[in-house]
Amino acid sequence: MTCPGLYTPPDLWDANDGWKANCGPSALAAVLGVPLAAVRRAFAGFPAKPWTTPTSMAAALAAQGARHRIIQGMPQGDVHGVAFVQLRGTWDAAPERAQYRHTHWVGLHREKGELYVYDCNAGSAGGWLPSEVWKAQVLAEIITGHRGASGKWAVRVVLEVLR
């Protein structure tokens, strides 16, 4: 699924098969408007360590030459960047690093009040959805797949790409 004017990487399945690309690299590729092959070098830990922390996402943005700023929580107003979503559940009292096992990266694009979310789990090969559709269809399924999840979630941090 795509929304007009927003890029969906066409090589999600090839990148997943080849180097275990997942939500972090795919969200970055979608937000930067490039195929996953173009961000491969920015994720040196893959495939041995196929996860992305906020620190490694900031490094990936820098490796791509993308200027960015870090925003704690969900920003107000227009935004274009990647968001680190924390699922809530029985792990909420655990140390922060342990909570990272229950996180997910998405792309965000809000313009003139309309918020769209890129998720590698949308449709058959990832895509952008209006936020309410993403929450009801994709996020709900992700939460269901996490044993001990409370059904709640929060945006921990957004790395906004500065244009």
Side-chain angles (χ1 to χ4, degrees), residues 86-150:
Q86 175 71 61
L87 306 179
R88 299 293 181 199
T90 56
W91 50 84
D92 286 355
E96 186 174 46
R97 285 289 203 190
Q99 293 180 36
Y100 279 7
R101 283 182 244 152
H102 307 281
T103 58
H104 184 58
W105 284 100
V106 296
L108 292 180
H109 180 83
R110 184 188 302 125
E111 190 172 359
K112 298 177 184 168
E114 297 291 327
L115 178 62
Y116 294 94
V117 178
Y118 171 84
D119 196 308
C120 64
N121 298 300
S124 62
W128 291 90
L129 297 170
S131 64
E132 294 305 317
V133 174
W134 171 75
K135 285 187 261 185
Q137 294 178 2
V138 182
L139 182 60
E141 188 172 320
I142 291 169
I143 289 171
T144 299
H146 281 262
R147 187 175 174 187
S150 67

Side-chain angles (χ1 to χ4, degrees), residues 3-9 23-33 57 61 68-86 104-120 127-135 139 153-163:
C3 294
L6 297 174
Y7 181 83
T8 297
C23 62
S26 66
L28 181 62
V31 165
L32 295 181
M57 182 61 83
L61 279 160
H68 69 279
R69 70 179 177 133
I70 298 171
I71 303 166
Q72 298 299 318
M74 186 65 178
Q76 300 296 316
D78 292 352
V79 65
H80 186 77
V82 290
F84 194 49
V85 177
Q86 175 71 61
H104 184 58
W105 284 100
V106 296
L108 292 180
H109 180 83
R110 184 188 302 125
E111 190 172 359
K112 298 177 184 168
E114 297 291 327
L115 178 62
Y116 294 94
V117 178
Y118 171 84
D119 196 308
C120 64
W128 291 90
L129 297 170
S131 64
E132 294 305 317
V133 174
W134 171 75
K135 285 187 261 185
L139 182 60
W153 60 282
V155 172
R156 285 184 82 116
V157 65
V158 171
L159 285 74
E160 180 181 19
V161 175
L162 303 174
R163 298 177 177 199

Side-chain angles (χ1 to χ4, degrees), residues 29-59:
V31 165
L32 295 181
V34 299
L36 275 137
V39 300
R40 170 64 182 103
R41 282 196 231 158
F43 293 91
F46 283 68
K49 296 179 180 177
W51 57 79
T52 307
T53 65
T55 301
S56 61
M57 182 61 83

